[in-house]
Amino acid sequence: VQLVESGGGLVQPGGSLRLSCAASGFTFSDYSMSWHRQVPGKEREFVAGISNSGGLRNYADSVKGRFTISRDNAKSTVDLQMNSLKPEDTALYVCRVDVGTTVWGQGTQVTVSS
């Protein structure tokens, strides 16, 4: 099982980024997926989750209305569209799946700064 994130970078406040997580090694369409973020010295924080079919989505209060999670089961990818970014969104963004054991990707860094 492998998760590989991409799409991070440096963006100005108010800007947008789209993160992608490519999954392999399991039947992607059978599992819910989620995005989390981590800042050094703080606990990892849930950002957004999506059910295996994509029909159910949930978000942390801090990103509701700004971030959108989506998935493409044909491509085994889960994306996170991030709009109206704030400096406090700066973090390492990590993809997660629980296939009986929890698997994390290596993460992609997002930095929001002017």
Side-chain angles (χ1 to χ4, degrees), residues 21-37:
C21 172
S24 60
F26 63 102
T27 305
F28 184 76
S29 59
D30 284 351
Y31 295 93
S32 298
M33 301 292 297
S34 58
W35 283 95
H36 301 253
R37 63 188 182 187

Side-chain angles (χ1 to χ4, degrees), residues 7-80:
L10 173 64
V11 63
Q12 292 188 341
S16 298
L17 279 177
R18 188 175 184 91
L19 308 183
S20 188
C21 172
S24 60
F26 63 102
T27 305
F28 184 76
S29 59
D30 284 351
Y31 295 93
S32 298
M33 301 292 297
S34 58
W35 283 95
H36 301 253
R37 63 188 182 187
Q38 187 158 24
V39 175
K42 294 188 177 181
E43 289 191 2
R44 191 167 287 179
E45 173 189 25
F46 170 81
V47 176
I50 188 167
S51 63
N52 63 317
S53 67
L56 294 175
R57 307 176 193 195
N58 61 320
Y59 299 92
D61 287 344
S62 57
V63 307
K64 276 181 184 175
R66 301 188 298 121
F67 291 12
T68 302
I69 189 170
S70 62
R71 67 188 293 160
D72 185 333
N73 283 347
K75 295 182 179 179
S76 296
T77 57
V78 56
D79 290 354
L80 186 68

